[in-house]
Amino acid sequence: MIEPSMRKEFETWVETARPPLAEQPALGLAALMTTAAFVDPVAQVPIFDAIAAATAASNNGAARATQIAAALPWVTEGKPRIALPRALWDDYWAIVAEPPSPAAGELDLTLAVVALGSRYDQRMIDACEAALLEFDSVHELIAQPEVRLTTADLESHAADSLAHDLLSMLTANGYDIEVIDADTVVLPGDYPAQNRTNRRILQLHDIWHLVAGYGFTPAGEVAISGFQMAQFGQNYSTRFLATVATKAAVHAPAMMDMLLTVMFDGWRHGRATKELIAVPWHQRIADPIERVRAELGIRPLDSAAVRMMEALTPAAA
């Protein structure tokens, strides 16, 4: 449990973009990720690049802090405070208060993190739109006609096809091609980047699991969130990773480094892979996964940290 006084400090770190990275290595990194999610989404790529490089280079909190400060000079003095909606913080802390548990449903956490978006104010919504538009592939996607796959589109394909593999996975797990109703994630107003990518990723999430080599496990979900965020700047992924990092820092600090490695292995993989959000996936579902990988230049994830985390959570895997 995180005490009210520490919550208040954490909120200050986030809202001023001044986390105590050396003094509070775990919570400080979680706060910096939360700044990327809620305060400055446009800065999420340099923030995550800096954390990825620092955590890969050293296990020492002070050394990490020094490296991050060199990449992001503003973390030393901070920025003018931007107050976040009180309701957002209250819902955030309600999620963080629940200890991580293999028995907890992944969908429950997903829906809780999705719901945080309902607490965003106008500044935050506008910032998320701007963050998405930093990616060329998002502009390409907006310019395309929208095509939404259905379960019927996956039927009657060859046994070695992406469609067959996807349908088999969905059927075996009782999943739907869209985790939640895509029409419920549409924002009112002129937000083409958010509305289009929010609907799009609901259809592509499981496809990317298969094609990019992410297991359908808690570790796989954490890692693919890093991949998705790196691919097109999805704010859901940023706030999911920030929330998971904060939960770990509060409840399981000994696991923090492994969790960060899982996150940032996915992040680096996403940064190294061509942007995939605008690929016409409906034209690829009849192809074998290996052909899709070869033609798009996708190398499946190879992460020792993901394998270790999966080994430590056999009940969830």
Side-chain angles (χ1 to χ4, degrees):
M1 176 62 67
I2 186 166
E3 297 297 326
S5 59
M6 181 55 73
R7 291 187 187 187
K8 186 175 180 180
E9 282 193 68
F10 186 92
E11 291 173 14
T12 300
W13 302 339
V14 170
E15 293 179 351
T16 60
R18 191 183 181 187
L21 296 170
E23 299 81 7
Q24 293 274 1
L27 272 176
L29 287 176
L32 184 55
M33 294 167 70
T34 308
T35 294
F38 297 149
V39 176
D40 196 359
V42 175
Q44 62 189 351
V45 171
I47 288 172
F48 271 64
D49 274 346
I51 299 173
T55 53
S58 175
N59 292 326
N60 179 271
R64 288 175 173 179
T66 298
Q67 185 168 341
I68 290 171
L72 307 171
W74 46 262
V75 300
T76 303
E77 297 299 328
K79 297 182 179 182
R81 186 165 190 165
I82 295 176
L84 298 174
R86 184 69 253 161
L88 172 64
W89 276 124
D90 290 344
D91 288 357
Y92 183 77
W93 290 122
I95 299 171
V96 170
E98 293 295 324
S101 168
E106 292 173 33
L107 184 58
D108 292 340
L109 178 59
T110 295
L111 294 176
V113 174
V114 167
L116 291 176
S118 68
R119 302 301 193 181
Y120 281 21
D121 58 21
Q122 194 64 52
R123 181 203 65 83
M124 297 172 72
I125 294 171
D126 290 344
C128 291
E129 186 77 4
L132 288 165
L133 292 171
E134 294 282 304
F135 290 78
D136 291 341
S137 59
V138 173
H139 292 270
E140 294 175 28
L141 180 68
I142 293 170
Q144 296 173 359
E146 184 169 15
V147 177
R148 288 165 66 173
L149 292 168
T150 67
T151 301
D153 294 324
L154 306 179
E155 297 170 351
S156 303
H157 286 277
D160 66 345
S161 66
L162 170 58
H164 181 272
D165 290 348
L166 178 59
L167 183 60
S168 297
M169 184 281 298
L170 294 172
T171 302
N173 291 283
Y175 295 162
D176 188 82
I177 194 169
E178 292 179 339
V179 180
I180 57 178
D181 184 352
D183 291 325
T184 67
V185 297
V186 176
L187 294 169
D190 186 23
Y191 295 105
Q194 288 176 88
N195 286 335
R196 191 62 189 280
T197 58
N198 285 346
R199 290 197 301 271
R200 179 73 163 170
I201 196 58
L202 287 174
Q203 295 224 320
L204 297 188
H205 179 79
D206 288 334
I207 290 175
W208 287 5
H209 262 286
L210 294 171
V211 174
Y214 289 80
F216 293 90
T217 63
E221 291 301 336
V222 171
I224 201 171
S225 293
F227 180 86
Q228 286 182 181
M229 182 188 163
Q231 278 281 299
F232 67 99
Q234 183 194 32
N235 185 258
Y236 163 77
S237 295
T238 318
R239 67 181 184 255
F240 177 83
L241 294 174
T243 304
V244 170
T246 307
K247 285 171 73 76
V250 171
H251 298 287
M255 298 289 289
M256 187 69 168
D257 272 3
M258 182 172 65
L259 184 66
L260 288 171
T261 304
V262 168
M263 290 180 181
F264 287 101
D265 279 356
W267 169 261
R268 281 183 286 268
H269 188 213
R271 293 281 275 155
T273 303
K274 70 168 285 183
E275 294 179 18
L276 301 171
I277 193 73
V279 168
W281 287 97
H282 60 287
Q283 298 175 7
R284 295 279 182 173
I285 59 173
D287 295 335
I289 287 177
E290 288 303 324
R291 181 185 301 166
V292 175
R293 287 173 175 169
E295 293 183 357
L296 295 179
I298 301 170
R299 299 181 65 177
L301 178 72
D302 181 11
S303 169
V306 169
R307 291 189 290 273
M308 182 179 295
M309 186 172 169
E310 288 174 341
L312 292 172
T313 55

